[in-house]
Amino acid sequence: MLQNQQRPWWQLVPSRLTVAGLFISVTLLYCLSTLHNSFGPTGLPVPQSHALLLGQHSNQSTTNGSQKDNNVCVPKVDIMFLKTHKTASSTFLNVLYRFGQKRKLKFAFPISGDYSFLYPSHFQHTYVQGLRSGTFFNIMCNHMRFNAPEVAKVLPRDTTYITILRDPAQLFESAFHYFANIVPLTKRIPGEDKMAEFLRDPTIYFSLDEFNSFFLKNLLFFDFGQDNTLDADDPRVEESIRLIDERFHLVMLTEHFEESLILLKDILCWEMSDLLFFKLNSRKETTVSKLTPDQRAKALQWNSIDWELYKHFNLTFWKKVDAYGRERMAKDLAELRMRNAEMVRICIEGSHSVEAGRIHEEAMQPWQPDREKSIMGYNLNKNIDIAYQVLCRKMLTPEIQYLTDLGVNMWLLKLWGQVKNICNW
């Protein structure tokens, strides 16, 4: 009898269809079981601040300034982080998880059984697990397609809104490679360098009706809940950027991640120890395409709305840095880098990341794109001082495993992983 890897592809089709059908059926049954959430009240009362319920002080305004009480800075605990795709958001998420877990804050997690609020659907408050009258949440940070009125039904009125942007050309390169296996249109692109061929003339291959095509055009604008197919000079683009600017207290930049954390510390009244991080979910260098000047120009033209978005918040970012003080920023950056370097020495075996096949613990394996092993991870040092053992492990824990540690039931993601394994027979 032939082994699975020796069987012709057409003999595998029935078994794969059966598995796919089972996956869809289970998913639909789960969604039906949660439908009662959709028929709750359209508006849930939320307090001015949940910090008071936790016995902490709270600032009653929604300004961008630091929260102070008798000249003592008090950490803010009500935080909304819009996790955009391919922007180092997983690295920041680890920082946010540790902050919330340390202070026993309550996270708003999805009902969907994976890491997103039914993305790419626009967020609805009924997508939050355990949301009912009388409940409260401090932090919401999983992937969603932003929907400001619905988010406001979940979090208190003085919540601090944060997000992160990345240079759109670099983001496009990353998204094109990371999501290629779940964007069917990429399969029709000829040649070995599919991204270069796509950028030569995207209109040949791109279609709005194609499944998951939004990953390849103005992905940032899409994540903000906006129409990513508009022309960049459409008045609705400028208006949307204005509304985003009004809603978000801080828009961080991937290219200036450390400076972003320093600004965040000031806004949220955090300590420097809250900012420590390791770079997570990064691709190995050999899988990263180096954009030529012409390819960069074409990528920015194709993602022209994201480019307008990025340029706007790049300007506001440096205005915030100036207001913070350049010398003060330089001093804080030096301290953060020194402390991070010390944590690398303490926590990470060899002081560097490794490929997936060289990671010793399953708990340290990052989630990989379909049929690839391009995401790097880490090994814990052996014999870490007991004072650092818990912190080191938390700092190195990938997003999916950390969500499980926080109590999220990742059944749908695990089921999808099994389906992928079966379909790759």
Side-chain angles (χ1 to χ4, degrees):
M1 182 175 181
L2 292 175
Q3 297 298 316
N4 288 334
Q5 58 267 30
Q6 298 173 319
R7 293 162 61 191
W9 66 268
W10 61 83
Q11 292 183 15
L12 298 177
V13 171
S15 61
R16 291 180 176 179
L17 288 176
T18 300
V19 171
L22 177 62
F23 174 75
I24 293 170
S25 299
V26 171
T27 304
L28 287 174
L29 283 172
Y30 176 79
C31 292
L32 287 171
S33 71
T34 59
L35 268 179
H36 67 275
N37 289 319
S38 301
F39 295 96
T42 57
L44 297 173
V46 293
Q48 174 66 24
S49 172
H50 293 153
L52 296 175
L53 299 176
L54 295 168
Q56 300 190 38
H57 296 285
S58 171
N59 179 22
Q60 297 301 308
S61 64
T62 54
T63 66
N64 289 347
S66 297
Q67 176 181 340
K68 298 182 182 295
D69 182 19
N70 296 327
N71 297 320
V72 177
C73 204
V74 180
K76 293 184 180 179
V77 297
D78 301 324
I79 301 166
M80 194 281 155
F81 174 60
L82 176 59
K83 187 179 188 296
T84 50
H85 285 85
K86 313 311 298 173
T87 58
S89 57
S90 292
T91 298
F92 178 69
L93 214 59
N94 183 275
V95 173
L96 197 53
Y97 285 158
R98 284 184 281 120
F99 177 85
Q101 193 175 33
K102 179 180 178 181
R103 290 159 180 80
K104 296 181 172 55
L105 303 180
K106 188 169 184 180
F107 289 87
F109 287 129
I111 62 170
S112 54
D114 71 350
Y115 54 84
S116 80
F117 289 102
L118 297 180
Y119 185 91
S121 300
H122 279 94
F123 175 80
Q124 301 293 322
H125 72 275
T126 53
Y127 296 169
V128 176
Q129 183 179 350
L131 181 64
R132 58 184 63 86
S133 182
T135 60
F136 73 91
F137 298 96
N138 301 109
I139 298 176
M140 185 155 57
C141 53
N142 289 66
H143 272 307
M144 68 165 65
R145 192 169 183 205
F146 191 63
N147 184 353
E150 289 295 306
V151 169
K153 295 176 182 179
V154 179
L155 298 171
R157 292 190 294 277
D158 69 345
T159 293
T160 302
Y161 284 69
I162 303 158
T163 190
I164 185 168
L165 304 181
R166 183 183 182 185
D167 175 278
Q170 297 302 322
L171 184 146
F172 174 79
E173 184 278 331
S174 182
F176 190 95
H177 288 93
Y178 191 87
F179 297 116
N181 289 322
I182 61 170
V183 182
L185 68 86
T186 62
K187 305 297 186 295
R188 299 197 305 271
I189 303 174
E192 292 186 5
D193 193 343
K194 292 179 177 289
M195 187 189 70
E197 171 61 22
F198 179 87
L199 286 175
R200 188 179 61 80
D201 187 357
T203 60
I204 295 176
Y205 306 104
F206 186 82
S207 171
L208 295 176
D209 299 327
E210 288 271 8
F211 181 68
N212 282 344
S213 64
F214 61 86
F215 280 121
L216 302 186
K217 186 173 180 60
N218 295 310
L219 180 55
L220 291 171
F221 207 60
F222 185 87
D223 282 350
F224 277 100
Q226 307 301 315
D227 184 352
N228 63 326
T229 66
L230 297 173
D231 293 328
D233 57 358
D234 190 302
R236 288 172 289 180
V237 172
E238 183 178 356
E239 175 64 11
S240 295
I241 293 175
R242 183 187 67 79
L243 292 174
I244 293 168
D245 199 355
E246 288 181 356
R247 176 67 280 175
F248 285 84
H249 300 90
L250 176 64
V251 177
M252 303 190 294
L253 301 178
T254 303
E255 293 75 19
H256 301 283
F257 189 75
E258 293 163 318
E259 291 92 337
S260 297
L261 290 180
I262 300 300
L263 293 179
L264 182 84
K265 178 176 75 73
D266 188 52
I267 290 174
L268 296 178
C269 297
W270 283 14
E271 300 292 334
M272 189 66 76
S273 58
D274 296 319
L275 305 182
L276 302 178
F277 72 93
F278 298 137
K279 188 176 182 181
L280 301 178
N281 208 38
S282 61
R283 291 157 59 201
K284 59 183 179 182
E285 286 295 321
T286 55
T287 68
V288 179
S289 300
K290 306 299 182 184
L291 295 172
T292 66
D294 181 62
Q295 287 172 340
R296 173 175 170 80
K298 288 180 177 178
L300 292 179
Q301 182 181 15
W302 177 244
N303 297 279
S304 56
I305 302 179
D306 277 2
W307 184 224
E308 292 301 315
L309 185 73
Y310 185 86
K311 288 190 295 183
H312 174 89
F313 285 105
N314 184 59
L315 287 174
T316 64
F317 182 87
W318 293 109
K319 288 179 181 178
K320 291 179 186 294
V321 170
D322 286 335
Y324 186 81
R326 296 277 180 156
E327 290 186 10
R328 182 184 173 201
M329 175 63 74
K331 179 181 176 182
D332 286 348
L333 282 175
E335 180 183 353
L336 177 60
R337 288 166 181 167
M338 178 190 70
R339 296 180 68 165
N340 270 335
E342 179 67 6
M343 293 306 298
V344 168
R345 184 190 66 80
I346 292 171
C347 299
I348 300 176
E349 183 178 271
S351 298
H352 57 76
S353 60
V354 295
E355 296 182 10
R358 296 174 58 197
I359 298 173
H360 304 323
E361 291 187 56
E362 183 65 27
M364 294 292 144
Q365 284 282 358
W367 179 259
Q368 300 286 346
D370 289 354
R371 296 189 292 278
E372 291 187 16
K373 294 287 185 181
S374 59
I375 304 301
M376 306 288 281
Y378 298 94
N379 288 314
L380 277 168
N381 254 336
K382 298 179 177 64
N383 302 317
I384 299 173
D385 187 282
I386 191 170
Y388 292 98
Q389 286 179 4
V390 173
L391 177 58
C392 286
R393 180 166 289 277
K394 288 183 183 299
M395 289 182 69
L396 292 174
T397 298
E399 178 183 346
I400 302 303
Q401 289 90 322
Y402 211 134
L403 279 168
T404 302
D405 291 345
L406 291 171
V408 181
N409 185 352
M410 306 294 288
W411 72 270
L412 185 59
L413 193 67
K414 292 175 182 176
L415 178 60
W416 175 238
Q418 295 298 319
V419 170
K420 287 199 301 180
N421 290 337
I422 294 172
C423 290
N424 285 332
W425 284 346

